[in-house]
Amino acid sequence: AGLEQTHVLGIFAITLFVILLCGLVGFKGLTWTLLLIVNVVFFAYLMKLTIDSGLNVPLGPDGEPLGDEDSSDDDDDDDDEEEEEEEEEDEEQEED
């Protein structure tokens, strides 16, 4: 799942070829619009790669960050249980 590098390069090459054909035929407005769209998409893709590389999170083969296998929610539950036990002990001591 996800785009591989060859897919991204292929899409980029085909898009540039279509833009080149539009420029040769004389569709100035369409050519400039497509060039602007390609620049924005390329910039967004590079920003995504930059942000993902700065996360210091292991990435999967498709470039998506891998989630934690053991979540920290389990640790939070343990803390809640400890607090409840302490409260129960305090109540027992008050009763004595």
Side-chain angles (χ1 to χ4, degrees):
L3 292 175
E4 295 180 12
Q5 184 178 6
T6 54
H7 295 142
V8 173
L9 293 176
I11 292 169
F12 188 69
I14 290 171
T15 304
L16 288 181
F17 181 71
V18 169
I19 293 173
L20 178 68
L21 288 179
C22 290
L24 291 174
V25 172
F27 298 137
K28 278 187 172 182
L30 181 62
T31 303
W32 285 113
T33 303
L34 289 175
L35 281 172
L36 178 63
I37 291 171
V38 167
N39 279 332
V40 169
V41 169
F42 189 59
F43 176 77
Y45 180 70
L46 290 178
M47 287 303 295
K48 177 195 175 301
L49 291 179
T50 303
I51 291 171
D52 286 346
S53 69
L55 292 177
N56 293 330
V57 176
L59 298 178
D62 59 352
E64 294 296 320
L66 296 176
D68 270 344
E69 295 299 324
D70 50 1
S71 69
S72 62
D73 293 341
D74 296 339
D75 297 337
D76 294 341
D77 293 342
D78 294 342
D79 294 339
D80 293 339
E81 291 173 2
E82 290 174 5
E83 289 175 4
E84 290 174 5
E85 290 174 2
E86 289 175 4
E87 290 175 5
E88 290 174 3
E89 290 175 3
D90 290 340
E91 290 175 2
E92 289 175 5
Q93 289 177 356
E94 290 175 2
E95 291 175 3
D96 291 340

